[in-house]
Short mmCIF file of all heavy atoms in Angstrom, two decimals:
data_model
loop_
_atom_site.label_atom_id
_atom_site.label_comp_id
_atom_site.label_asym_id
_atom_site.label_seq_id
_atom_site.Cartn_x
_atom_site.Cartn_y
_atom_site.Cartn_z
N ARG A 726 9.44 49.99 -63.31
CA ARG A 726 8.95 49.23 -64.44
C ARG A 726 7.46 49.25 -64.42
O ARG A 726 6.86 48.56 -63.58
CB ARG A 726 9.53 47.78 -64.54
CG ARG A 726 9.12 47.02 -65.77
CD ARG A 726 9.65 45.64 -65.76
NE ARG A 726 11.12 45.62 -65.94
CZ ARG A 726 11.87 44.55 -65.82
NH1 ARG A 726 11.29 43.38 -65.72
NH2 ARG A 726 13.22 44.64 -65.99
N VAL A 737 5.86 47.69 -61.08
CA VAL A 737 5.87 46.39 -60.56
C VAL A 737 7.15 46.19 -59.75
O VAL A 737 7.30 45.44 -58.82
CB VAL A 737 5.69 45.30 -61.64
CG1 VAL A 737 6.81 45.34 -62.65
CG2 VAL A 737 5.56 43.86 -61.02
N GLN A 738 8.18 46.93 -60.16
CA GLN A 738 9.47 46.91 -59.49
C GLN A 738 10.37 48.05 -59.86
O GLN A 738 10.12 48.71 -60.92
CB GLN A 738 10.31 45.55 -59.76
CG GLN A 738 10.63 45.43 -61.24
CD GLN A 738 11.56 44.34 -61.47
OE1 GLN A 738 11.30 43.15 -61.22
NE2 GLN A 738 12.83 44.62 -61.97
N GLY A 741 14.32 45.63 -58.28
CA GLY A 741 14.11 44.20 -58.40
C GLY A 741 13.34 43.73 -57.26
O GLY A 741 13.39 44.29 -56.13
N VAL A 742 12.42 42.69 -57.43
CA VAL A 742 11.53 42.29 -56.40
C VAL A 742 12.23 41.90 -55.10
O VAL A 742 11.91 42.21 -53.97
CB VAL A 742 10.54 41.18 -56.91
CG1 VAL A 742 9.68 40.67 -55.78
CG2 VAL A 742 9.69 41.67 -58.06
N MET A 743 13.27 41.04 -55.36
CA MET A 743 14.03 40.45 -54.20
C MET A 743 14.63 41.61 -53.35
O MET A 743 14.54 41.60 -52.09
CB MET A 743 15.09 39.49 -54.75
CG MET A 743 15.57 38.55 -53.82
SD MET A 743 14.48 37.12 -53.60
CE MET A 743 14.83 36.04 -54.98
N ASP A 744 15.23 42.51 -54.06
CA ASP A 744 16.00 43.58 -53.39
C ASP A 744 15.07 44.48 -52.65
O ASP A 744 15.34 44.82 -51.49
CB ASP A 744 16.73 44.35 -54.53
CG ASP A 744 17.71 45.40 -53.97
OD1 ASP A 744 18.53 45.03 -53.12
OD2 ASP A 744 17.51 46.64 -54.38
N LEU A 940 4.82 46.78 -56.89
CA LEU A 940 3.74 45.81 -56.62
C LEU A 940 4.25 44.38 -56.48
O LEU A 940 3.65 43.56 -55.70
CB LEU A 940 2.79 45.78 -57.83
CG LEU A 940 2.02 47.15 -58.03
CD1 LEU A 940 1.38 47.18 -59.42
CD2 LEU A 940 0.98 47.34 -56.92
N GLY A 941 5.38 44.07 -57.10
CA GLY A 941 5.98 42.71 -56.96
C GLY A 941 6.29 42.42 -55.49
O GLY A 941 5.95 41.38 -54.96
N ASP A 944 3.38 42.10 -53.14
CA ASP A 944 2.77 40.79 -53.25
C ASP A 944 3.54 39.73 -52.44
O ASP A 944 2.93 38.96 -51.67
CB ASP A 944 2.58 40.32 -54.69
CG ASP A 944 1.61 39.23 -54.76
OD1 ASP A 944 0.55 39.18 -54.15
OD2 ASP A 944 1.97 38.21 -55.39
N THR A 945 4.82 39.68 -52.54
CA THR A 945 5.62 38.61 -51.81
C THR A 945 5.60 38.99 -50.30
O THR A 945 5.58 38.04 -49.52
CB THR A 945 7.06 38.56 -52.29
OG1 THR A 945 7.69 39.85 -52.32
CG2 THR A 945 7.17 37.98 -53.77
N ARG A 1007 11.34 20.48 -55.31
CA ARG A 1007 11.54 21.70 -56.05
C ARG A 1007 10.29 22.07 -56.92
O ARG A 1007 9.55 21.20 -57.39
CB ARG A 1007 12.75 21.47 -57.11
CG ARG A 1007 14.06 21.38 -56.47
CD ARG A 1007 15.15 21.15 -57.55
NE ARG A 1007 15.25 22.39 -58.45
CZ ARG A 1007 14.86 22.35 -59.72
NH1 ARG A 1007 14.44 21.23 -60.34
NH2 ARG A 1007 14.91 23.45 -60.38
N GLY A 1008 10.04 23.40 -56.97
CA GLY A 1008 8.97 23.93 -57.77
C GLY A 1008 8.47 25.15 -57.11
O GLY A 1008 8.88 25.61 -56.04
N ILE A 1009 7.64 25.84 -57.83
CA ILE A 1009 7.06 27.17 -57.39
C ILE A 1009 5.57 27.04 -57.55
O ILE A 1009 4.98 26.91 -58.56
CB ILE A 1009 7.48 28.38 -58.21
CG1 ILE A 1009 9.02 28.41 -58.46
CG2 ILE A 1009 7.01 29.69 -57.59
CD1 ILE A 1009 9.84 28.73 -57.35
N ARG A 1011 1.80 28.22 -57.73
CA ARG A 1011 1.11 29.42 -58.35
C ARG A 1011 -0.36 29.37 -58.22
O ARG A 1011 -0.94 28.18 -58.15
CB ARG A 1011 1.45 29.70 -59.80
CG ARG A 1011 2.91 29.60 -60.12
CD ARG A 1011 3.54 30.88 -60.08
NE ARG A 1011 4.98 30.84 -60.50
CZ ARG A 1011 5.82 31.87 -60.34
NH1 ARG A 1011 5.35 33.01 -59.91
NH2 ARG A 1011 7.03 31.74 -60.67
N TYR A 1014 -3.09 26.31 -59.35
CA TYR A 1014 -2.54 24.92 -59.47
C TYR A 1014 -3.47 24.02 -58.54
O TYR A 1014 -3.79 24.42 -57.36
CB TYR A 1014 -1.14 24.88 -58.94
CG TYR A 1014 -0.10 25.47 -59.87
CD1 TYR A 1014 -0.49 26.12 -61.10
CD2 TYR A 1014 1.22 25.39 -59.58
CE1 TYR A 1014 0.50 26.55 -61.86
CE2 TYR A 1014 2.20 25.96 -60.39
CZ TYR A 1014 1.86 26.57 -61.58
OH TYR A 1014 2.81 27.05 -62.38
N THR A 1032 4.49 31.59 -54.21
CA THR A 1032 5.73 32.15 -54.65
C THR A 1032 6.93 31.45 -54.05
O THR A 1032 6.78 30.63 -53.12
CB THR A 1032 5.76 33.68 -54.20
OG1 THR A 1032 6.83 34.30 -54.89
CG2 THR A 1032 6.06 33.76 -52.66
N GLN A 1033 8.10 31.81 -54.53
CA GLN A 1033 9.28 31.42 -53.82
C GLN A 1033 9.56 32.56 -52.77
O GLN A 1033 9.58 33.74 -53.07
CB GLN A 1033 10.52 31.45 -54.83
CG GLN A 1033 11.91 31.25 -54.10
CD GLN A 1033 12.10 29.73 -53.65
OE1 GLN A 1033 11.32 28.93 -54.00
NE2 GLN A 1033 13.09 29.53 -52.85
N PRO A 1035 11.09 35.13 -50.60
CA PRO A 1035 12.39 35.69 -50.53
C PRO A 1035 12.98 35.69 -49.04
O PRO A 1035 14.14 35.53 -48.94
CB PRO A 1035 12.20 37.09 -50.95
CG PRO A 1035 10.93 37.07 -51.79
CD PRO A 1035 10.07 36.00 -51.15
N ARG A 1062 2.49 21.63 -63.79
CA ARG A 1062 2.78 21.17 -65.10
C ARG A 1062 2.70 19.61 -65.25
O ARG A 1062 3.50 19.02 -65.84
CB ARG A 1062 4.15 21.65 -65.63
CG ARG A 1062 4.21 23.20 -65.79
CD ARG A 1062 5.57 23.68 -66.31
NE ARG A 1062 6.57 23.68 -65.26
CZ ARG A 1062 6.79 24.56 -64.37
NH1 ARG A 1062 6.04 25.68 -64.38
NH2 ARG A 1062 7.69 24.49 -63.34
N SER B 923 16.35 39.94 -67.86
CA SER B 923 16.00 41.24 -67.34
C SER B 923 14.48 41.39 -67.37
O SER B 923 13.86 41.98 -66.38
CB SER B 923 16.62 42.32 -68.23
OG SER B 923 16.07 43.56 -67.96
N ALA B 924 13.85 40.87 -68.39
CA ALA B 924 12.34 40.92 -68.47
C ALA B 924 11.73 40.03 -67.43
O ALA B 924 10.70 40.42 -66.80
CB ALA B 924 11.89 40.46 -69.88
N LEU B 925 12.35 38.90 -67.16
CA LEU B 925 11.80 38.06 -66.12
C LEU B 925 11.90 38.59 -64.63
O LEU B 925 11.03 38.37 -63.78
CB LEU B 925 12.49 36.67 -66.11
CG LEU B 925 11.93 35.73 -67.28
CD1 LEU B 925 12.99 34.62 -67.43
CD2 LEU B 925 10.65 35.17 -66.92
N GLY B 926 13.02 39.26 -64.37
CA GLY B 926 13.35 39.63 -63.02
C GLY B 926 13.96 38.50 -62.24
O GLY B 926 14.45 37.57 -62.83
N ASP B 927 13.89 38.58 -60.87
CA ASP B 927 14.65 37.65 -60.10
C ASP B 927 14.18 36.14 -60.39
O ASP B 927 13.11 35.81 -60.14
CB ASP B 927 14.43 37.94 -58.60
CG ASP B 927 14.91 39.29 -58.15
OD1 ASP B 927 16.04 39.51 -58.28
OD2 ASP B 927 14.07 40.12 -57.72
N ILE B 928 15.21 35.44 -60.94
CA ILE B 928 14.89 33.99 -61.26
C ILE B 928 15.11 33.08 -60.09
O ILE B 928 16.16 33.07 -59.45
CB ILE B 928 15.78 33.69 -62.56
CG1 ILE B 928 15.33 34.47 -63.76
CG2 ILE B 928 15.62 32.17 -62.86
CD1 ILE B 928 16.15 34.33 -64.95
N VAL B 929 14.09 32.27 -59.87
CA VAL B 929 14.09 31.39 -58.64
C VAL B 929 14.02 29.89 -58.91
O VAL B 929 14.05 29.10 -57.96
CB VAL B 929 13.02 31.82 -57.69
CG1 VAL B 929 13.34 33.21 -57.06
CG2 VAL B 929 11.69 31.98 -58.31
N PHE B 930 13.76 29.61 -60.16
CA PHE B 930 13.54 28.21 -60.53
C PHE B 930 13.85 27.92 -61.95
O PHE B 930 13.57 28.62 -62.81
CB PHE B 930 12.07 27.84 -60.24
CG PHE B 930 11.75 26.38 -60.52
CD1 PHE B 930 11.91 25.41 -59.48
CD2 PHE B 930 11.24 25.99 -61.71
CE1 PHE B 930 11.55 24.10 -59.68
CE2 PHE B 930 10.82 24.73 -61.94
CZ PHE B 930 11.08 23.70 -60.97
N VAL B 931 14.65 26.81 -62.17
CA VAL B 931 14.89 26.27 -63.57
C VAL B 931 14.63 24.83 -63.58
O VAL B 931 15.09 24.12 -62.69
CB VAL B 931 16.38 26.68 -63.94
CG1 VAL B 931 16.44 26.24 -65.43
CG2 VAL B 931 16.69 28.04 -63.84
N ASP B 932 13.96 24.39 -64.59
CA ASP B 932 13.77 22.94 -64.77
C ASP B 932 14.29 22.57 -66.19
O ASP B 932 13.90 23.17 -67.19
CB ASP B 932 12.34 22.62 -64.69
CG ASP B 932 12.13 21.13 -64.25
OD1 ASP B 932 13.03 20.51 -63.72
OD2 ASP B 932 11.05 20.55 -64.64
N VAL B 948 11.59 24.96 -68.27
CA VAL B 948 10.90 26.11 -67.74
C VAL B 948 11.79 26.93 -66.82
O VAL B 948 12.68 26.37 -66.18
CB VAL B 948 9.60 25.72 -67.04
CG1 VAL B 948 9.89 25.02 -65.71
CG2 VAL B 948 8.70 26.87 -66.75
N GLU B 950 11.50 30.20 -64.02
CA GLU B 950 10.45 31.03 -63.27
C GLU B 950 11.18 32.09 -62.43
O GLU B 950 12.16 31.80 -61.80
CB GLU B 950 9.68 30.11 -62.27
CG GLU B 950 8.82 28.98 -63.04
CD GLU B 950 7.83 28.29 -62.05
OE1 GLU B 950 7.19 29.08 -61.25
OE2 GLU B 950 7.62 27.20 -62.23
N SER B 951 10.60 33.32 -62.54
CA SER B 951 10.96 34.31 -61.66
C SER B 951 9.96 34.43 -60.58
O SER B 951 9.03 33.59 -60.51
CB SER B 951 11.11 35.70 -62.45
OG SER B 951 9.81 36.02 -62.86
N ILE B 952 10.17 35.33 -59.63
CA ILE B 952 9.15 35.50 -58.66
C ILE B 952 7.76 35.69 -59.22
O ILE B 952 6.84 35.16 -58.71
CB ILE B 952 9.59 36.55 -57.60
CG1 ILE B 952 10.73 36.04 -56.80
CG2 ILE B 952 8.39 37.03 -56.73
CD1 ILE B 952 11.25 36.98 -55.69
N LYS B 953 7.74 36.52 -60.27
CA LYS B 953 6.44 36.93 -60.80
C LYS B 953 5.90 36.10 -61.98
O LYS B 953 4.76 36.07 -62.25
CB LYS B 953 6.50 38.41 -61.22
CG LYS B 953 6.65 39.35 -60.06
CD LYS B 953 5.38 39.28 -59.14
CE LYS B 953 4.15 39.83 -59.68
NZ LYS B 953 3.07 39.72 -58.63
N ALA B 954 6.83 35.44 -62.69
CA ALA B 954 6.47 34.88 -63.97
C ALA B 954 6.87 33.43 -64.28
O ALA B 954 8.04 33.10 -63.68
CB ALA B 954 6.83 35.79 -65.10
N VAL B 955 6.25 32.76 -65.01
CA VAL B 955 6.63 31.40 -65.51
C VAL B 955 6.89 31.53 -66.98
O VAL B 955 6.06 32.05 -67.71
CB VAL B 955 5.51 30.39 -65.27
CG1 VAL B 955 5.97 28.99 -65.78
CG2 VAL B 955 5.06 30.33 -63.79
N ASP B 957 8.23 29.31 -70.49
CA ASP B 957 8.76 28.04 -71.03
C ASP B 957 10.09 28.30 -71.90
O ASP B 957 10.25 29.46 -72.34
CB ASP B 957 7.72 27.51 -72.07
CG ASP B 957 6.56 26.84 -71.38
OD1 ASP B 957 6.84 26.25 -70.30
OD2 ASP B 957 5.44 26.77 -71.94
N PRO B 974 20.08 24.39 -61.79
CA PRO B 974 18.83 24.42 -60.94
C PRO B 974 19.07 24.73 -59.52
O PRO B 974 18.19 25.32 -58.78
CB PRO B 974 18.26 23.03 -61.11
CG PRO B 974 18.76 22.69 -62.53
CD PRO B 974 20.11 23.25 -62.63
N GLY B 975 20.33 24.48 -59.01
CA GLY B 975 20.56 24.76 -57.63
C GLY B 975 20.89 26.21 -57.40
O GLY B 975 20.93 26.70 -56.18
#
Side-chain angles (χ1 to χ4, degrees):
Chain A
R726 185 178 295 175
V737 64
Q738 63 170 61
V742 175
M743 200 76 85
D744 188 52
L940 295 165
D944 192 48
T945 53
R1007 289 180 65 246
I1009 313 286
R1011 306 270 182 190
Y1014 288 2
T1032 194
Q1033 175 73 14
R1062 292 181 285 275
Chain B
S923 169
L925 282 164
D927 298 300
I928 295 172
V929 292
F930 182 83
V931 184
D932 203 25
V948 68
E950 298 194 38
S951 66
I952 286 182
K953 291 299 288 178
V955 182
D957 283 331

